[in-house]
Amino acid sequence: MTHTTYTTTAKAVRGGLLGAAAVLLLAGAAPARAIPQEAARGDWLFVTVTTGDARSSDTRGTLLLCDPPQGHGHAAEACAQLTAARGDIRAIAPRDVLCPMVHAPVTARARGQWNGRSVDYAETFTNTCVMGARTGAVFALDG
């Protein structure tokens, strides 16, 4: 008995290319502009958070897809915040929170595509509280 599986070629190719792009971006091997525009339809970002200084190897990351929101523990909230900011992470409305004055640097990085434009964002924050206050749910990778 032969089993045949039918899949939509475009979805399979998209998934494969996004997965490959995520691996390359995590490894730092491919800049965002090298990812073919046809690789993904819709808005998506590969987001990473590195704890510690530049020599640290404690990096976590995930692929955030926003059509529909998925791939991230807070995808719906992150996508809504990015939509309100037109994909500009620096334009996300900062939250009014009190953060401890603890120096525990974290570097947030996002690469991908939003509204057909390439996104390449990187910023180092004093600690995760400050990062969360300024970037909302985009880099909230825990949970």
Side-chain angles (χ1 to χ4, degrees):
M1 176 180 229
T2 305
H3 288 88
T4 306
T5 303
Y6 296 96
T7 18
T8 304
T9 304
K11 283 186 179 180
V13 169
R14 177 181 176 219
L17 288 173
L18 283 174
V23 169
L24 290 173
L25 287 171
L26 181 60
R33 65 185 168 279
I35 299 168
Q37 293 295 324
E38 303 82 42
R41 301 268 185 238
D43 300 326
W44 63 274
L45 296 175
F46 186 74
V47 296
T48 61
V49 175
T50 302
T51 304
D53 62 21
R55 297 177 304 270
S56 174
S57 61
D58 183 17
T59 300
R60 295 170 290 127
T62 192
L63 184 63
L64 170 64
L65 300 170
C66 288
D67 188 22
Q70 59 185 327
H72 183 292
H74 302 277
E77 185 180 0
C79 291
Q81 291 169 344
L82 285 163
T83 298
R86 295 189 168 115
D88 182 0
I89 296 168
R90 287 179 176 85
I92 291 174
R95 292 183 302 162
D96 189 19
V97 297
L98 295 176
C99 291
M101 294 179 59
V102 174
H103 185 72
V106 291
T107 300
R109 179 175 218 75
R111 293 180 181 170
Q113 176 179 298
W114 196 272
N115 288 332
R117 292 177 292 127
S118 291
V119 173
D120 191 4
Y121 168 89
E123 190 165 349
T124 300
F125 298 94
T126 310
N127 56 50
T128 57
C129 179
V130 175
M131 178 183 70
R134 295 209 192 134
T135 63
V138 175
F139 297 99
L141 301 182
D142 296 328

